[in-house]
Amino acid sequence: MTGHDMNCKSALQGRRLLLGVSGGIAAYKSAVLARALIRAGAEVRVVMTAGAKAFIQPLTFQALTGHQPHEHLLNPEAEAGMGHIELARWAEIILIAPTTADVMAKLAAGLADDLLTTLCLATQADIWVAPAMNQAMWAHPATQRNQATLSTLGYHLIQPEAGLQACGDTGSGRMPEPEALVAHLQHHYAQASSPTTGGHQTRLSCASSQATVQDNVDQTRDKLRITITAGPTREPLDPVRYLSNHSSGKMGFALAEAAVQQGADVTLISGPVHLPTPEGVTRLDVDTAEQMLDAVLKALPSTHMLIGCAAVADYRAATVAEHKIKKQSQNGDELTLHLVKNPDIIATAAARGQAKFVVGFAAETQDVEAYAEDKLIRKKLNAIVANDVSDPTIGFGSDENRVTLLSRRGEHIIRQPLPQASKAALSDTLIQQLISLYDQHHSS
């Protein structure tokens, strides 16, 4: 360790961290991860599943950490053979990397059939999971359901990266590099220990020669500015009537809250809704689509990611009546309205090229993914969230939602179905995935 490293105040300094290693090909990265965690100041112990030993030997971790890895649920050398309880009490942080689909399923179901899963039920520590698996397994609805369940149970998920996998497939499912995982933890615990500064000074003071990737990730997190549109727009017909829709704004507000929790600087541009402003969010209220477009364009120069979650009215009155339209002033029982098309806010913003990453929402009632893919390509977005608003149990006005995240990787469209969950839990997952996609796009 260099003199610079010794003087570095790491957010992980002195933390008791239990590294769980499960049986995936990415287990080879866990050796590098263990060493990186130690360099960051953590006191590291390792727990291996039986499957992990098929990919990496316990001796490797013993040499790196100076401690024999824990493998067995009942340890005859521990007091009363209850070594798992001792470990559960010892740990402040548990990081499972890689986390296989099997381990995710066990944790989501509350199973405890080996040392690692038993520890997770018995501990009061923060538990972080870094999924790593084949892209088809990651995209499977069961895995996505388990991911959402883990979020609701309080687990912290570090979203997998996209790229070429060991099996030859290309897609999401790769475990992030060890330096990025350490950076993620550093960011979280630096914020937790320095609420007034968001940990900014702590992380910058910990820039060491061996953590270039960590520095890049931390700086991105520090400066990430997200603009989110939410709610409906209202297009006036006369002083008392307007065109609008059933959007409650709940999804956009939940996204804003989730983004703040991830350390982002959030501006929320909202149509007329009856919702409190999430803590830490800058809110701008608008009524019409043109007002919303104007607010978005003003925010764009300082925006890294734009998320268009608002349900913008497609049309507005060509002329707004100065006075209330009277029934008796019309011919017969019909009223003819002359409407003109509203500006497409998200497409206009994407065309400007000022935001580095633009995300749309596609609220559809039929052929949901097909329409969403068309919008993704036609409007030149980086990603789009598709949801079926014809289902009365989700979408407009509901506290729950079920969506599919579509993103572009070169010429390929990647689909990630996210199972039905509360809008708060779903927003946490979406924001994590969108930040991960932004990082990949920004670094490419």
Side-chain angles (χ1 to χ4, degrees), residues 165-180:
Q165 299 183 317
C167 60
D169 287 356
T170 299
S172 293
R174 288 168 51 94
M175 188 176 95
E177 294 304 311
E179 294 87 351

Side-chain angles (χ1 to χ4, degrees), residues 25 61 67 111 115 122 141 171 182 184 217 246 292 309 327 337 351 371 397 435 443:
I25 186 61
F61 290 109
H67 300 279
L111 296 180
L115 177 57
V182 174
H184 200 104
V217 173
H246 295 294
M292 184 172 284
C309 189
K327 284 194 295 186
L337 296 175
Y371 282 122
I435 290 177
S443 62

